Amino acid sequence: MEALIPVINKLQDVFNTVGADIIQLPQIVVVGTQSSGKSSVLESLVGRDLLPRGTGIVTRRPLILQLVHIDADDRRKTNEENGIDGEEWGKFLHTKNKVYTDFEEIRHEIEAETERISGNNKGISDEPIHLKIFSPHVVNLTLVDLPGITKVPVGDQPKDIEMQIRELILKYISNPNSIILAVTAANTDMATSEALKVAREVDPDGRRTLAVVTKLDLMDAGTDAMDVLMGRVIPVKLGIIGVVNRSQLDINQRKSVADSIRDEYGFLQKKYPSLANRNGTKYLARTLNRLLMHHIRDCLPELKTRINVLAAQYQSLLNGYGEPVDDKSATLLQLITKFAAEYCHTIEGTAKYIETAELCGGARICYIFHETFGRTLESVDPLGGLSTIDVLTAIRNATGPRPALFVPEVSFELLVKRQVKRLEEPSLRCVELVHEEMQRIIQHCSNYSTQELLRFPKLHDAIVEVVTSLLRKRLPVTNEMVHNLVAIELAYINTKHPDFADACGLMNNNIEEQRRNRMRDLPSAVPRDKAGAGGPQSAAAADPAEGGTGNWRGMLRRGEEGAMPYPASPHKGHAVNLLDVPVPVSRKLSAREQRDCEVIERLIKSYFLIVRKNIQDSVPKAVMHFLVNHVKDCLQSELVGQLYKTALLNDLLTESEDMAQRRNEAADMLQALQKASQVIAEIRETHMW
């Protein structure tokens, strides 16, 4: 199981090469307040002085510290390869292959790299520094040193420094694969430990929190940390370990870490003899190593699954970016052909990518035809905008100066054409909606069906322009055809249409029935043959009975019942202007006028419904033939004719500026994930979990 930690180190190296933290690897995160002794604990684990020292906030960037135990053979091989002579050395990720054997130089490099990113105003940054220490005196560990928790900004620190540090700490300890090392000084109240408080926010059960109590030698006289170390004050599941740090005087006098650990052991034997073997720096290192190994063992299965999922995602992403273009001519023709095919498939409903959020392509065109257009036509009232006065006026205008014996047919044609004309606007709107959907299909194919076009923005724009131009050219042709369909209906009012003839026969029967009903209601003194003749003779014969022939009172009475009153007699010497006769705004229609209007209205409605049915059927057919099918049939040849030219190859197949970079990044990440998967597979083959 000891080999599990090097596995994690290998995985960390793999992902460091691509600068990615998409995989949350098992690691130990050190959390504590400023001057709680975090740096001293880390240096004790390393066994060397390597971290910056000073007052206030010193650690201003996360330091990912990998401790790698090496044996004599590894040390000899590395020395030969790098031309160095030493048993311990360090490497930074940002300095590539440079080897540091002087740990003082490592400290200076940490300080310089911190100021390079975070500046020199005590500000912090979340960009980590990666340092790997190779030594025969360390156990395999991966630790993360974070800035100390602070409450009050000092110097040039930003006002929200507390919140910045808190968010940075939570970012690392929220990783479920991390172990939290909560550092608290022994000369402070354990119940108010900020490190344990923030650890409990993400680990309320304490399953991955280990507490470290530092500065045991600095407690007030007469007090000790026995209750704290025994877990009686604050219980911690993974345990509480006490250590003794080097004082600032020890550091100034260059007291070695080895001497400090020896003095620590003597202090524990003297002060806490019953707990000496379960505390101290060496015990802490062994405990961390054991906890990390068990934690890695538990995390590896899930880690393997995560790596495999990411590898599949990046493989798909890389496929979408495509390979670098070798044969531009073939690539251009392939892209044009694929776009044309996907465009047609979207219309036909056989596209590979089916939209689930909304109707698209052919389905939306079908909806426009049978729902939008159909319902709009059905909502058009056959007699809309046509009043009874309009009908009566049309009848009178069609008769000329002579009173009509029958309803003139011209009035019917005049009025029905006016109503049929109202079907043209919704028909043209149907063409417009289908044209808009054909335009939307271009974007749909670009986004979902042919992602390769995103590699070549100029080719994408050119294809959009060609298809848009083709649609634009077909729009007036289709509009003209739809206009002609309505014009055809207006050109000849077919009163012999079977459906219309049946309606006329039904109405004639109704009129005859109404006439018989009126005849039945006449007084018995009136002869039915004369009263029912219905001709001019019968009407003339009825006049003497009502008012008498030549009786001016009867004429006056009829004038009062007619449509217009007689004008007043002009004054002597003044001309008579017949146009000055006032026209009544409204009046009660006579029985005949009402009957004539009803006949015309019924005829108009009957014929309008016939025409509406024709238009509802013929307009979608015209749109499909002149717009949709024509574009489908000509799209491929139009794109090839406009774009497949030698002079345009280089320009059209120019990739976007960041496409090559994104392809390289995706390829590097995929390679890293594949290497990581191989590393885990090797461990699995050795039955280590």
Side-chain angles (χ1 to χ4, degrees):
M1 189 180 293
E2 182 68 25
L4 288 177
I5 296 180
V7 169
I8 295 301
N9 289 339
K10 287 183 180 180
L11 294 178
Q12 186 71 59
D13 293 341
V14 168
F15 293 117
N16 285 345
T17 58
V18 292
D21 55 356
I22 58 173
I23 295 292
Q24 295 179 320
L25 298 173
Q27 54 193 7
I28 300 171
V29 182
V30 185
V31 181
T33 59
Q34 285 186 20
S35 304
S36 61
K38 294 189 296 83
S39 298
S40 296
V41 171
L42 291 175
E43 287 182 337
S44 298
L45 294 174
V46 177
R48 299 293 296 265
D49 294 333
L50 78 162
L51 299 177
R53 295 281 183 169
T55 58
I57 182 170
V58 177
T59 304
R60 296 188 288 129
R61 287 179 60 184
L63 175 65
I64 298 179
L65 181 62
Q66 292 177 260
L67 305 183
V68 182
H69 179 81
I70 57 173
D71 55 24
D73 293 336
D74 293 334
R75 184 170 68 251
R76 189 182 312 107
K77 181 179 178 181
T78 303
N79 289 343
E80 293 175 355
E81 291 177 352
N82 296 276
I84 59 175
D85 184 16
E87 64 174 5
E88 297 176 297
W89 65 87
K91 284 185 177 181
F92 287 98
L93 177 64
H94 63 273
T95 59
K96 305 302 179 185
N97 296 323
K98 184 177 180 179
V99 177
Y100 295 82
T101 56
D102 185 354
F103 282 81
E104 188 70 24
E105 188 179 359
I106 291 178
R107 177 191 291 116
H108 292 324
E109 182 60 32
I110 294 175
E111 294 174 346
E113 181 64 12
T114 298
E115 292 186 359
R116 186 180 69 84
I117 300 297
S118 304
N120 53 8
N121 62 345
K122 298 297 182 180
I124 67 170
S125 170
D126 62 351
E127 185 176 341
I129 299 174
H130 293 266
L131 173 62
K132 185 179 292 187
I133 299 296
F134 300 85
S135 171
H137 308 300
V138 299
V139 295
N140 292 310
L141 288 176
T142 300
L143 306 124
V144 181
D145 186 21
L146 296 175
I149 301 172
T150 184
K151 293 292 184 180
V152 181
V154 296
D156 295 333
Q157 288 181 346
K159 301 294 183 181
D160 62 340
I161 186 68
E162 178 186 0
M163 185 59 64
Q164 289 185 26
I165 295 176
R166 176 181 174 80
E167 291 178 353
L168 179 60
I169 292 174
L170 289 174
K171 174 183 175 181
Y172 279 87
I173 65 176
S174 297
N175 172 13
N177 295 333
S178 66
I179 295 175
I180 305 172
L181 190 65
V183 179
T184 303
N187 54 1
T188 61
D189 189 354
M190 192 72 172
T192 61
S193 170
E194 290 291 335
L196 289 175
K197 179 182 177 182
V198 73
R200 283 188 175 180
E201 292 184 22
V202 297
D203 183 33
D205 297 333
R207 296 181 181 275
R208 53 189 182 90
T209 301
L210 174 67
V212 175
V213 179
T214 63
K215 305 181 180 181
L216 291 175
D217 56 330
L218 298 183
M219 298 188 66
D220 293 338
T223 62
D224 60 36
M226 184 65 71
D227 290 341
V228 172
L229 297 177
M230 294 291 292
R232 297 168 185 164
V233 178
I234 301 292
V236 180
K237 286 189 177 181
L238 294 185
I240 301 175
I241 299 176
V243 297
V244 176
N245 303 107
R246 290 182 299 167
S247 65
Q248 188 61 44
L249 178 62
D250 294 336
I251 296 172
N252 294 338
Q253 294 179 349
R254 301 294 182 117
K255 183 178 181 180
S256 67
V257 175
D259 292 340
S260 177
I261 292 176
R262 186 175 58 252
D263 293 344
E264 175 192 55
Y265 178 76
F267 174 83
L268 292 174
Q269 288 290 346
K270 178 181 178 181
K271 191 70 176 179
Y272 305 96
S274 61
L275 302 177
N277 61 339
R278 286 182 289 158
N279 289 275
T281 300
K282 289 187 176 181
Y283 181 77
L284 173 62
R286 293 194 301 271
T287 301
L288 290 176
N289 179 264
R290 175 177 53 82
L291 290 176
L292 186 59
M293 284 190 298
H294 284 85
H295 197 61
I296 292 171
R297 182 194 60 188
D298 296 337
C299 294
L300 272 181
E302 182 182 349
L303 193 61
K304 180 179 183 296
T305 302
R306 171 67 174 162
I307 289 175
N308 291 338
V309 170
L310 284 174
Q313 292 176 352
Y314 273 92
Q315 182 65 63
S316 176
L317 184 63
L318 190 60
N319 294 338
Y321 291 150
E323 297 295 331
V325 178
D326 295 326
D327 189 346
K328 292 187 176 182
S329 179
T331 300
L332 178 59
L333 184 59
Q334 178 185 359
L335 291 176
I336 290 175
T337 303
K338 185 173 183 180
F339 178 87
E342 289 296 338
Y343 190 92
C344 296
H345 291 161
T346 303
I347 294 176
E348 296 166 358
T350 57
K352 181 179 179 181
Y353 297 92
I354 300 296
E355 181 66 57
T356 58
E358 60 179 355
L359 292 179
C360 178
R364 189 172 183 84
I365 293 175
C366 179
Y367 182 87
I368 293 171
F369 285 156
H370 302 290
E371 298 293 333
T372 306
F373 178 59
R375 290 182 179 179
T376 302
L377 288 187
E378 291 173 0
S379 67
V380 178
D381 185 5
L383 301 175
L386 196 64
S387 65
T388 304
I389 297 298
D390 294 335
V391 176
L392 185 59
T393 302
I395 294 174
R396 288 186 169 183
N397 287 336
T399 61
R402 296 172 300 280
L405 298 179
F406 305 100
V407 178
E409 187 174 343
V410 177
S411 61
F412 163 71
E413 289 198 9
L414 175 68
L415 294 172
V416 80
K417 286 182 179 180
R418 170 180 167 182
Q419 297 306 101
V420 169
K421 184 69 175 175
R422 298 169 60 214
L423 298 176
E424 182 174 11
E425 182 180 351
S427 300
L428 294 176
R429 177 58 179 160
C430 176
V431 178
E432 183 181 351
L433 290 175
V434 174
H435 176 268
E436 291 176 358
E437 179 57 26
M438 298 282 283
Q439 194 73 33
R440 287 179 68 243
I441 295 175
I442 303 175
Q443 193 63 37
H444 173 81
C445 292
S446 300
N447 292 341
Y448 299 100
S449 302
T450 53
Q451 294 185 1
E452 295 92 337
L453 285 179
L454 300 179
R455 293 178 57 192
F456 311 109
K458 291 186 178 181
L459 176 60
H460 174 267
D461 295 342
I463 289 178
V464 171
E465 178 61 30
V466 171
V467 182
T468 302
S469 177
L470 178 59
L471 291 171
R472 193 185 304 119
K473 287 189 294 185
R474 298 306 302 173
L475 183 60
V477 178
T478 310
N479 282 336
E480 181 66 20
M481 182 59 198
V482 170
H483 173 77
N484 288 338
L485 289 175
V486 179
I488 289 170
E489 297 290 347
L490 296 174
Y492 181 65
I493 304 301
N494 182 17
T495 55
K496 291 294 184 179
H497 192 283
D499 295 340
F500 186 68
D502 293 343
C504 290
L506 181 60
M507 281 185 284
N508 289 336
N509 294 337
N510 291 338
I511 293 172
E512 182 64 23
E513 180 67 24
Q514 292 174 3
R515 189 187 69 80
R516 286 196 295 269
N517 292 339
R518 287 196 300 271
M519 294 268 303
R520 193 180 303 113
D521 295 338
L522 287 175
S524 58
V526 180
R528 291 187 179 275
D529 57 342
K530 294 182 179 179
Q537 292 83 0
S538 64
D543 285 339
E546 293 180 359
T549 304
N551 190 333
W552 64 270
R553 286 189 177 89
M555 296 174 64
L556 180 61
R557 187 181 301 114
R558 289 194 301 273
E560 291 174 353
E561 294 173 357
M564 296 184 181
Y566 288 98
S569 300
H571 295 288
K572 185 178 181 180
H574 291 276
V576 178
N577 186 357
L578 296 178
L579 297 179
D580 289 340
V581 177
V583 179
V585 178
S586 62
R587 62 178 176 79
K588 184 177 180 181
L589 301 181
S590 65
R592 177 177 176 177
E593 290 173 338
Q594 188 171 1
R595 183 179 70 249
D596 292 347
C597 288
E598 289 178 358
V599 170
I600 291 295
E601 288 177 353
R602 291 181 182 180
L603 291 174
I604 290 173
K605 184 174 182 180
S606 175
Y607 195 82
F608 180 87
L609 295 179
I610 294 172
V611 175
R612 186 174 73 182
K613 185 177 180 181
N614 294 340
I615 293 295
Q616 190 171 353
D617 179 63
S618 58
V619 167
K621 293 178 178 178
V623 174
M624 286 299 297
H625 176 73
F626 287 92
L627 181 60
V628 180
N629 290 343
H630 186 279
V631 171
K632 283 173 52 182
D633 296 339
C634 300
L635 182 59
Q636 170 78 10
S637 59
E638 189 75 14
L639 287 171
V640 172
Q642 295 286 339
L643 303 179
Y644 191 62
K645 300 177 181 179
T646 305
L648 299 177
L649 282 178
N650 292 331
D651 186 50
L652 292 178
L653 294 182
T654 300
E655 287 188 319
S656 58
E657 296 180 357
D658 60 338
M659 182 58 67
Q661 178 181 353
R662 284 189 288 173
R663 185 194 299 111
N664 293 335
E665 291 176 352
D668 293 342
M669 181 58 68
L670 179 61
Q671 185 178 6
L673 290 167
Q674 291 172 343
K675 287 182 179 179
S677 181
Q678 292 175 358
V679 169
I680 295 179
E682 292 173 359
I683 296 298
R684 187 173 185 177
E685 289 176 359
T686 58
H687 306 286
M688 289 190 174
W689 93 82

